[in-house]
Every structure is written in structure tokens, then in C-alpha cells.
Amino acid sequence: MPEGDTVWNTARVLHRALAGARITSSDFRVPQLATTDLTGWTVRESASRGKHLLLRLDAPDNAPWTLHSHLRMDGAWRAYAPGERWTGRPAHLIRVVLRSPGAVAVGYHLHEMALVPTAEENQLVGHLGPDLLGADWDPAEAVRRLADDPEQIIGAALLDQRNLAGVGNLYKCEVLFLRGVSPWAPVGAVPDLPGLVALAQRLLAANRGRWTQSSTGSLHRGQTTYVYGRRAQPCRRCGTAIRKEELGERVTYWCPVCQPEQPGSPTTG
């Protein structure tokens, strides 16, 4: 699943490929934008907000617009040189193609696509909490939002983008392990919310600019995480087998020894 740092990296790839360029043709393959033609529009910048990607454009009359997309679990943008073979995903997953003189941007399996005046971006991302990788990152506000619902379990609270924007399952699992907190602990029982939030921001920031996500400091295959993706493997601290719980699309990995269990966790009922 793309997390905040992945979307940040994707936005930078698109910015390098398209910023300042005039679009020579566009092809939207989603019903809500099927008749949209961006030919002659200029790409101002590409930016991210949590897990949302914002491609900001100037129309021929200089009016500012934003093309919004969300990667969710399976979306991706790729930038190719003109004439280069598109190898990102199967062709039937393509949702948009933007051509410029120097690059072709292809969006695969994108979600929540919308074209809105830039002044109305807030309607699409205004509900989000502080962006862990944003210039306006506000840890105190993130802590306040988390603490506002002390009965919610911390695993779910970290994934709620209204609290802080950018954390997905990988960082949720890794941060809670590193802080020794059960994923099923109520927010109100977490001893140091500011420390937990600060760690989440540091981990995402450390992985900015690279595609390999690591919370251990190692970039070697199989050594990048403490618990995520390591079901039944020994905990790197205590040797206990890592556990995994699946709840719909949400997956939690944790060490039952290093992260003391709470009432209601899968092993306590």
C-alpha cells in the first residue's frame, strides 16, 4: 500500500517530468473526466498531501486548476520518455495519460480523480490532519486530534487520515513496535503520544526520496522492518514469533511480548 512517503516520492517524479511543460494531449479513462481535454494547459507543480496527489495546472486563460488523484492500495503514476514503452501496469488499468514534449505521465488504477479549481482543493483534502511530510507539519495538532478520541484503539487512530496524514499499515506497525505499544491499546492508555507522533514523522522523513522503506536502518532485502511482513518470523528483539491479524483490508503485525497485549486483542478476546 502506498504510504505518505511513496506519494511524496511520486509527486516529485511527476514534478521533475512535467513542471513547466505544456500538455500536448490528454486521455482520461474514467467516466467523470472522459470528455476532459487538457491540451494547451501548463503544469505548474506536482505536490502531495498525505496520501493524495495534487497536479496543479494553469488553463490557457491562466486560471489555476488541480487534478486530484488518490493511490489507495494499488494506484501508481509513471513517467516515461516520449516513445518509451509503458511498463508500469497492464494497459487496462490506465486511467489517464498526459503527454508533453519531454515526457509522458501515465496514471494506473487511480482513485477519486477530480479536476477542480485550485481554490477549491480544500474540498478534497481539507479533512486531513497535519501532513507528516508537509511544510506545515504540526505535531501538537496531530497529538490533539489523536487524543480527542481516547477510547479508539491506537492502531485504527494512526490510520485515520483525519488525525495525521500519511501513515499506512507499514508505519503503523513499525511505530507501535518501536514504542512498545499494543495495536489494540486505547489511545488514552498510550503513555507518550507526542513521542509516538514524533517517531512516525521521523520514519517517513527518513525514507523520503527513496523507494525502499526501512524502519530498521538497513536497506537489505528482508532486513528493512521489525514486524511488518514478518509473520511467524522471530522478533528482532526477543525472538518471539511475530503475529499477524487481518481485518478486511487492514493488516496488523506485532510482537506479543514486546508489545504488551490489551483486553480485546486477538489473543485475549
Side-chain angles (χ1 to χ4, degrees), residues 196-243:
L196 187 149
V197 165
L199 176 60
Q201 196 279 332
R202 287 199 302 272
L203 287 182
L204 266 77
N207 287 312
R208 219 168 18 189
R210 67 187 182 202
W211 298 103
T212 300
Q213 294 164 309
S214 174
S215 57
T216 63
S218 173
L219 299 180
H220 295 292
R221 186 179 180 86
Q223 299 178 20
T224 58
T225 63
Y226 288 99
V227 292
Y228 187 84
R230 300 189 65 243
R231 182 180 66 86
Q233 296 182 47
C235 173
R236 299 190 192 280
R237 283 180 173 169
C238 72
T240 303
I242 299 300
R243 296 180 61 93

Side-chain angles (χ1 to χ4, degrees), residues 10-11 14-15 18-19 23 28 38 41-48 52-58 64-69 77 96 98 105 114-116 118 121:
T10 300
L14 289 180
H15 187 84
L18 295 177
I23 296 174
F28 286 93
L38 300 183
W41 293 42
T42 301
V43 179
R44 227 174 335 118
E45 63 175 339
S46 174
S48 62
H52 298 248
L53 198 141
L54 306 168
L55 194 61
R56 297 184 177 119
L57 313 160
D58 287 327
W65 289 76
T66 297
L67 178 63
H68 168 275
S69 60
W77 279 93
V96 60
L98 301 177
L115 183 65
V116 301
T118 298
E121 269 185 17

Side-chain angles (χ1 to χ4, degrees), residues 10 34 37 50 63 66 73 79 87 104 130 135 143-144 148 151 167-168 171 187 193 201 230 238 241 245 266-267:
T10 300
D37 183 5
T66 297
M73 295 183 66
T87 58
V104 181
V143 169
R144 186 195 68 77
D148 197 47
E151 299 302 318
V167 172
Y171 288 113
V187 171
L193 276 179
Q201 196 279 332
R230 300 189 65 243
C238 72
E245 180 75 9
T267 55

Side-chain angles (χ1 to χ4, degrees), residues 81-224:
E84 182 182 357
R85 183 184 176 193
W86 302 351
T87 58
R89 301 283 174 85
H92 72 273
L93 294 179
I94 294 174
R95 298 294 179 262
V96 60
V97 179
L98 301 177
R99 298 179 184 272
S100 72
V104 181
V106 183
Y108 297 91
H109 216 173
L110 302 176
H111 304 269
E112 301 175 30
M113 293 196 69
L115 183 65
V116 301
T118 298
E120 297 177 13
E121 269 185 17
N122 201 51
Q123 296 179 9
L124 301 174
V125 297
H127 65 287
L128 298 174
D131 183 351
L132 289 147
L133 297 180
D136 58 348
W137 165 241
D138 185 345
E141 175 62 13
V143 169
R144 186 195 68 77
R145 292 187 181 214
L146 285 168
D148 197 47
D149 187 357
E151 299 302 318
Q152 187 180 33
I153 63 171
I154 187 62
L158 287 175
L159 291 177
D160 189 337
Q161 302 299 295
R162 295 170 297 182
N163 292 328
L164 64 170
V167 172
N169 273 329
L170 185 152
Y171 288 113
K172 173 202 74 177
C173 296
E174 294 296 287
V175 166
L176 293 178
F177 172 80
L178 288 167
R179 299 296 299 183
V181 175
S182 166
W184 290 272
V187 171
V190 176
D192 183 10
L193 276 179
L196 187 149
V197 165
L199 176 60
Q201 196 279 332
R202 287 199 302 272
L203 287 182
L204 266 77
N207 287 312
R208 219 168 18 189
R210 67 187 182 202
W211 298 103
T212 300
Q213 294 164 309
S214 174
S215 57
T216 63
S218 173
L219 299 180
H220 295 292
R221 186 179 180 86
Q223 299 178 20
T224 58

